[in-house]
């Protein structure tokens, strides 16, 4: 079983930056992909970025390309999301997710484990 805990959210002005962190614990050895999703009120959960735990390959949603960067520190079992040039439309609850299977990286149903989320508000 994998536990995920996010941190780093907050209130920031448009154009500002934040770095989200996700700490993984438990049996993490079979996870092959870590991702960040977000969900705004009244909207579906949206894949933001993902990183393959082995190769480090990354993918991003078009809406965040060039502004968000996902990274990992496997030794510390940490995943990060660096966000710059934040916009009001980036306001959402951000979730860290992990999976051990395949499928479309942005399909939330393919992820086995989720954190509780951290709120990002851009004014």
């Amino acid at each position: 079983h994998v536990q995920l805990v996010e941190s780093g959210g907050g209130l920031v002005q448009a154009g500002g930056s934040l770095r989200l962190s996700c700490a993984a614990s438990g049996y993490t050895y079979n996870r092959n992909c870590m991702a960040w999703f977000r969900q705004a009120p009244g909207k579906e959960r949206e894949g933001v970025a993902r990183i393959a735990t082995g190769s480090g390959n990354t993918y991003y949603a078009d809406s965040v390309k060039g502004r968000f960067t996902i990274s990992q520190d496997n030794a510390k079992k940490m995943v990060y999301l660096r966000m710059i040039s934040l916009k009001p439309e980036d306001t959402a609850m951000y979730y860290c997710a992990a999976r051990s299977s395949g499928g479309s990286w942005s399909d939330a149903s393919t992820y086995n484990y989720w954190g509780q989320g951290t709120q990002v508000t851009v004014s």
Side-chain angles (χ1 to χ4, degrees):
H1 190 68
V2 177
Q3 293 83 42
L4 303 173
V5 178
E6 304 96 334
S7 61
L11 173 63
V12 64
Q13 291 186 337
S17 62
L18 284 173
R19 188 181 81 155
L20 305 184
S21 299
C22 173
S25 61
Y27 190 78
T28 61
Y29 301 102
N30 62 344
R31 60 192 173 98
N32 60 30
C33 176
M34 299 290 294
W36 287 95
F37 284 76
R38 67 185 181 187
Q39 189 167 20
K43 294 188 177 181
E44 292 188 356
R45 194 165 292 192
E46 171 192 23
V48 174
R50 78 88 156 150
I51 187 165
T53 55
S55 67
N57 287 341
T58 58
Y59 286 94
Y60 297 91
D62 288 343
S63 58
V64 306
K65 281 181 182 176
R67 300 188 299 120
F68 290 13
T69 303
I70 189 171
S71 61
Q72 63 185 353
D73 184 332
N74 284 336
K76 296 182 179 178
K77 297 182 181 180
M78 295 291 296
V79 177
Y80 305 98
L81 186 68
R82 175 68 173 166
M83 306 183 294
I84 65 171
S85 303
L86 283 162
K87 306 174 181 180
E89 51 264 44
D90 294 318
T91 295
M93 185 71 80
Y94 282 71
Y95 298 91
C96 179
R99 70 181 188 187
S100 54
S101 60
S104 173
W105 76 266
S106 59
D107 182 351
S109 68
T110 65
Y111 289 80
N112 311 86
Y113 305 104
W114 292 85
Q116 82 289 348
T118 185
Q119 178 68 38
V120 172
T121 303
V122 184
S123 63

